[in-house]
Amino acid sequence: MVKKLIVIALTILILTMLEIKGFILPKKGLEIEKQHPLIIFTMCIWGEARGCSFWEQVDVANVIRNRVKKMKKSYPDVILQRKQFSCFNKSDPNREKLLTPLKYDSWKIWISCFCAAELIYNNIIPDSTYGATHYYSGERVPYWAKEMVVTKETKHFKFLKERDKEYMYIFKKRVKNGKNN
């Protein structure tokens, strides 16, 4: 834990120095799809979890990394897929905010999201979601989540992954034996 905190503190220090040079904000005049992959990753975390704790931001980042690994695609390809992350939907009011985050939020919140992205993008910390590839917030369970397994719950999110063959085998065996919980 101490090692993680030192890494995070150093990351924040480096990022603060980079900010002075303007390296970690979306480039003005450049559309979302043409931004640097790490900036798109940060935008996604900011758009989806800016009102959450740093560790929930890390969890959201882990979901993205898990999808990147599973799909064998780039971060932008995964993040910008149609209707995957609501903040990028054309109809979402957050989409326009993504290019100018400091107009809507503090520098501290953007840095927090950037740190989460940096730590996951560079594989500095392990997966904290137990392989989750999806998440949702709120009480209403989305239709796509009904056949998935919850791997982790936080204050704002439920994290899920697809049921694998081993899980289904154990589940079917438990149901057959009258143990369905």
Side-chain angles (χ1 to χ4, degrees), residues 147-159:
E147 296 299 318
M148 300 182 94
V149 179
V150 174
T151 62
K152 181 177 183 176
E153 291 187 42
T154 65
K155 181 179 178 184
H156 295 100
F157 298 109
K158 285 187 175 57
F159 295 89

Side-chain angles (χ1 to χ4, degrees), residues 69-101:
K69 287 180 178 179
K70 182 178 180 182
M71 298 166 77
K72 296 177 176 59
K73 291 187 174 186
S74 71
Y75 278 84
D77 287 344
V78 167
I79 292 167
L80 297 173
Q81 270 190 327
R82 192 171 171 271
K83 295 196 173 196
Q84 294 303 301
F85 296 96
S86 62
C87 65
F88 289 99
N89 294 345
K90 301 280 185 198
S91 62
D92 193 303
N94 281 314
R95 182 177 169 87
E96 292 306 312
K97 295 177 182 179
L98 295 173
L99 290 168
T100 55

